[in-house]
Amino acid sequence: MAKKTRGTRTNYPSDVSDEEWAFCAPYLALMKEEAPQREYSSRALFNAMRYMVRAGCPWRMIPNDLPPWQTVHQQTQRWIKAGCFEAMAHDLRMLLRWVAGKSGQPSAVIVDGRTLQSSPESGGRAGYDGYKRRKGSKVHVAVDTLGHLLALKVTAASEQERAQVGDLMKQVQEITQQKVEVAFVDQGYTGEQPAAQAAQHAVRLEVVKLEEAKRGFVLLPRRWVVERSFAWAARFRRLSRDYERLPISLAGIHWLAFVCLMLNAFFRQSA
């Protein structure tokens, strides 16, 4: 059965290249391409999702030369629930580490949280972050020393970052097969409780702070890596705020954003 198209197809900067698609396709194959219920190709759906996440448009404003937004949204939820983007991100991270001359799994991670302003769609589950003076959601992440995403958890912005250490370290150790030994954090994670949570998973929590007070912006050793990762994620306009009704959707879009970043980095470095 021939797959449908919608008029003249425009090439967008967010489209996957042929070599990128050859890598991605096996991870996204939840059904055969020739399945009778499939009207649009997986590549067309994946390109439409990448466009939406990169451009930051609402689902209903996906361009008409891409598959219908209802179809893209439905397939996106299937991929997120199946963990397709996470699996892809973990393999890409290992490949990039090998290209950089490092072992496939890290022994150190950097942990931090990022608060996203709520929107009418996500306002029902939002919390207030008194430090940032912002109502919304908080995305807690752990990245390796190259800045690639390892683990992620979404909570209301009112939740303390230090309270998420246990869940993040559990994810990290499951993913890396117990390879991580130390996690670098900022002063917001100071205290016995987060250190004890990390120790339960055989991880030492190391708080990075300046030995003396300084004025203005100061680049903290190790800690700057996760801030750069947040800056990478901010290039995807869908992640400028929390536009998702469900936290699993917000988490899935973060995984997709890092997949896009790592795909580009891997094929650029291996060219």
Side-chain angles (χ1 to χ4, degrees), residues 1 3 15 30 33 73-74 90 103 106 122 125 132 136 174 177 185 190 196 199 202 238 243 245 248 267:
M1 177 180 176
K3 302 299 182 284
D15 288 353
L30 301 183
E33 282 295 311
H73 181 270
Q74 185 181 61
H90 295 323
S103 60
S122 64
R125 56 182 175 80
K132 299 288 181 63
E174 289 176 350
Q177 301 175 343
V185 295
T190 303
R238 186 74 181 193
Y243 292 107
R245 294 189 183 277
I248 189 176
F267 285 101

Side-chain angles (χ1 to χ4, degrees), residues 143-197:
V143 302
D144 69 3
T145 53
L146 296 178
H148 303 313
L149 187 59
L150 263 167
L152 181 147
K153 182 181 180 182
V154 175
T155 68
S158 53
E159 296 291 328
Q160 294 292 323
E161 294 173 1
R162 67 184 67 186
Q164 317 309 320
V165 170
D167 289 340
L168 285 176
M169 292 305 102
K170 180 181 179 181
Q171 290 183 50
V172 163
Q173 294 293 49
E174 289 176 350
I175 293 162
T176 64
Q177 301 175 343
Q178 307 294 317
K179 298 294 185 183
V180 173
E181 300 173 359
V182 59
F184 297 101
V185 295
D186 64 20
Q187 296 184 68
Y189 294 84
T190 303
E192 296 181 0
Q193 181 182 2
Q197 290 180 6

Side-chain angles (χ1 to χ4, degrees), residues 128-150:
Y128 184 73
D129 184 342
Y131 180 74
K132 299 288 181 63
R133 297 182 180 180
R134 184 179 301 172
K135 182 180 179 182
S137 299
K138 189 172 289 184
V139 181
H140 310 267
V141 305
V143 302
D144 69 3
T145 53
L146 296 178
H148 303 313
L149 187 59
L150 263 167

Side-chain angles (χ1 to χ4, degrees), residues 27 42 53 65 84 94-95 112 131 154 167 174 188 215 221:
Y27 294 90
S42 295
V53 174
D65 58 346
C84 298
M94 287 191 290
L95 290 171
D112 201 0
Y131 180 74
V154 175
D167 289 340
E174 289 176 350
R215 297 181 62 183

Side-chain angles (χ1 to χ4, degrees):
M1 177 180 176
K3 302 299 182 284
K4 291 182 180 180
T5 58
R6 305 186 80 191
T8 303
R9 174 69 167 88
T10 300
N11 292 324
Y12 295 101
S14 56
D15 288 353
V16 288
S17 65
D18 290 341
E19 56 185 3
E20 287 175 341
W21 179 244
F23 179 90
C24 296
Y27 294 90
L28 304 176
L30 301 183
M31 67 171 68
K32 296 180 179 179
E33 282 295 311
E34 62 271 17
Q37 65 267 41
R38 184 183 291 285
E39 297 184 14
Y40 297 90
S41 70
S42 295
R43 183 170 181 172
L45 294 167
F46 188 53
N47 279 334
M49 185 185 180
R50 283 169 57 108
Y51 176 92
M52 184 276 298
V53 174
R54 187 69 176 83
C57 69
W59 289 103
R60 289 170 174 80
M61 294 182 68
I62 290 176
N64 290 332
D65 58 346
L66 294 172
W69 74 266
Q70 301 96 324
T71 306
V72 179
H73 181 270
Q74 185 181 61
Q75 187 60 48
T76 297
Q77 293 302 315
R78 292 194 185 112
W79 281 331
I80 289 175
K81 291 176 182 177
C84 298
F85 304 135
E86 295 172 58
M88 207 185 310
H90 295 323
D91 288 350
L92 280 166
R93 187 190 65 254
M94 287 191 290
L95 290 171
L96 284 166
R97 291 181 63 83
W98 287 329
V99 170
K102 297 180 178 291
S103 60
Q105 301 295 357
S107 60
V109 297
I110 305 96
V111 176
D112 201 0
R114 174 186 181 221
T115 299
L116 294 177
Q117 180 76 37
S118 65
S119 64
E121 289 75 18
S122 64
R125 56 182 175 80
Y128 184 73
D129 184 342
Y131 180 74
K132 299 288 181 63
R133 297 182 180 180
R134 184 179 301 172
K135 182 180 179 182
S137 299
K138 189 172 289 184
V139 181
H140 310 267
V141 305
V143 302
D144 69 3
T145 53
L146 296 178
H148 303 313
L149 187 59
L150 263 167
L152 181 147
K153 182 181 180 182
V154 175
T155 68
S158 53
E159 296 291 328
Q160 294 292 323
E161 294 173 1
R162 67 184 67 186
Q164 317 309 320
V165 170
D167 289 340
L168 285 176
M169 292 305 102
K170 180 181 179 181
Q171 290 183 50
V172 163
Q173 294 293 49
E174 289 176 350
I175 293 162
T176 64
Q177 301 175 343
Q178 307 294 317
K179 298 294 185 183
V180 173
E181 300 173 359
V182 59
F184 297 101
V185 295
D186 64 20
Q187 296 184 68
Y189 294 84
T190 303
E192 296 181 0
Q193 181 182 2
Q197 290 180 6
Q200 289 178 355
H201 301 282
V203 178
R204 174 171 53 86
L205 210 63
E206 184 171 322
V207 179
V208 179
K209 55 184 177 181
L210 293 174
E211 296 181 357
E212 58 184 33
K214 295 185 178 181
R215 297 181 62 183
F217 174 77
V218 178
L219 199 65
L220 290 174
R222 304 283 187 178
R223 282 276 305 114
W224 67 269
V225 174
V226 70
E227 298 297 345
R228 183 183 62 179
S229 298
F230 287 145
W232 288 342
R235 294 176 180 174
F236 294 81
R237 293 190 176 185
R238 186 74 181 193
L239 298 179
S240 62
R241 287 193 175 199
D242 182 2
Y243 292 107
E244 313 309 318
R245 294 189 183 277
L246 300 175
I248 189 176
S249 298
L250 181 59
I253 289 177
H254 273 83
W255 283 111
L256 174 62
F258 276 89
V259 162
C260 296
L261 291 165
M262 287 189 279
L263 275 173
N264 181 62
F266 177 68
F267 285 101
R268 185 178 66 248
Q269 293 179 32
S270 58

